Amino acid sequence: MTSSCLLLYALRYWKIISFKHVESKEESISRNPATLVSLETLVHTLPLAFSYLLYMVVSMESVRGISVPMYTTLRRTTIAFTMVMEYIFVGQKHSLSVVCTVAIIILGALVAGARDLSYDSYSYAVVFISNICTAVYLASVARVDVVLIFLGKSSGLNSFGLMWCNGLLCGPILLCWTFIRGDLELTMNFPYLLFPGFQVVMLLSCILAFLLNYSVFLNTTLNSALTQTICGNLKDLFTIGIGWLLFGGLPFDSVSTNFLFA
């Protein structure tokens, strides 16, 4: 989150990007981080920040007690939750062909995981909670301005602006959370923390995370939360294959395998 905010500020400082669709003259020349986005706009994006925090924390917990292939299989049901959240948030309805397509994807996931021998009720429950949190988060990204316009307001933020607000709000909370849980102390005591090779890998990881978050924000705001969720299935193909080959965790079954990669 910190590296993302620093990178966004640097790009904004050099006027490579902007945080709004249309910026005023005063905003375009401002270089003070405190005035790049108004306090009122930050308050408007609070639901997005809280949904992101919930989504991230639950997602990290959900992957702990379940195999990678089965985790990815259960995550396919996020599509259905996303459709429900879009309908609840702004009354978005989808055509019969889209509903049938989503049903086929979920059916394939259920068939693929039908013979999982490592069933764990807690892990499965956390994954489904993670799916709900993901759906709420994506729906918030896609509809934050729609909801504000309905209330007679508008943030005017583009994808970069939403990422900036998200980082400003979530960064301090996550820092306090890691301090309370002891993760921050463990990080500072990591023996290779100042090792150049580790720092290079960490920097590259932060850059990739920034690009991933921007891609999610951009795709979700330009298209829809459902589109972003379906596009995520392309990633799952590689996740399942690599996870299966490297870590195992599922008994081989020709029928389930065909549905898993369908």
Side-chain angles (χ1 to χ4, degrees), residues 150-214:
F150 177 76
L151 297 175
K153 305 173 183 178
S154 177
S155 68
L157 298 173
N158 56 22
S159 297
F160 292 116
L162 289 174
M163 290 179 64
W164 173 258
C165 293
N166 202 42
L168 290 181
L169 293 171
C170 295
I173 298 176
L174 289 174
L175 182 62
C176 294
W177 178 258
T178 54
F179 176 77
I180 294 173
R181 289 182 57 90
D183 294 330
L184 187 60
E185 182 180 358
L186 289 175
T187 301
M188 299 307 297
N189 294 330
F190 182 61
Y192 299 103
L193 181 62
L194 301 179
F195 187 69
F198 174 78
Q199 292 186 358
V200 169
V201 172
M202 179 60 68
L203 176 61
L204 294 175
S205 175
C206 291
I207 294 175
L208 288 175
F210 171 82
L211 294 175
L212 173 62
N213 286 335
Y214 176 68

Side-chain angles (χ1 to χ4, degrees), residues 18-167:
S18 62
F19 288 165
K20 292 187 176 182
H21 297 294
V22 179
E23 283 190 331
S24 64
K25 184 177 181 180
E26 292 76 12
E27 290 174 329
S28 63
I29 62 177
S30 174
R31 293 182 176 179
N32 185 352
T35 60
L36 292 178
V37 173
S38 66
L39 180 60
E40 182 182 9
T41 301
L42 279 176
V43 173
H44 289 164
T45 57
L46 275 174
L48 173 62
F50 287 143
S51 66
Y52 176 78
L53 285 173
L54 190 61
Y55 147 75
M56 185 168 58
V57 172
V58 177
S59 295
M60 291 298 101
E61 176 65 23
S62 65
V63 78
R64 294 178 184 270
I66 195 171
S67 65
V68 174
M70 184 50 58
Y71 170 78
T72 308
T73 299
L74 295 178
R75 288 285 285 169
R76 293 283 179 91
T77 59
T78 305
I79 303 175
F81 291 109
T82 303
M83 293 180 65
V84 173
M85 291 303 167
E86 283 192 321
Y87 178 77
I88 293 175
F89 277 25
V90 291
Q92 175 69 41
K93 296 182 179 180
H94 299 279
S95 64
L96 180 61
S97 60
V98 173
V99 174
C100 291
T101 301
V102 171
I104 292 173
I105 293 175
I106 296 177
L107 176 63
L110 294 177
V111 173
R115 300 190 183 186
D116 175 29
L117 301 181
S118 58
Y119 175 77
D120 183 283
S121 58
Y122 172 77
S123 299
Y124 275 47
V126 174
V127 172
F128 281 114
I129 295 175
S130 174
N131 292 346
I132 296 175
C133 294
T134 304
V136 172
Y137 167 61
L138 292 177
S140 299
V141 173
R143 305 301 178 184
V144 61
D145 252 3
V146 174
V147 175
L148 290 176
I149 291 173
F150 177 76
L151 297 175
K153 305 173 183 178
S154 177
S155 68
L157 298 173
N158 56 22
S159 297
F160 292 116
L162 289 174
M163 290 179 64
W164 173 258
C165 293
N166 202 42

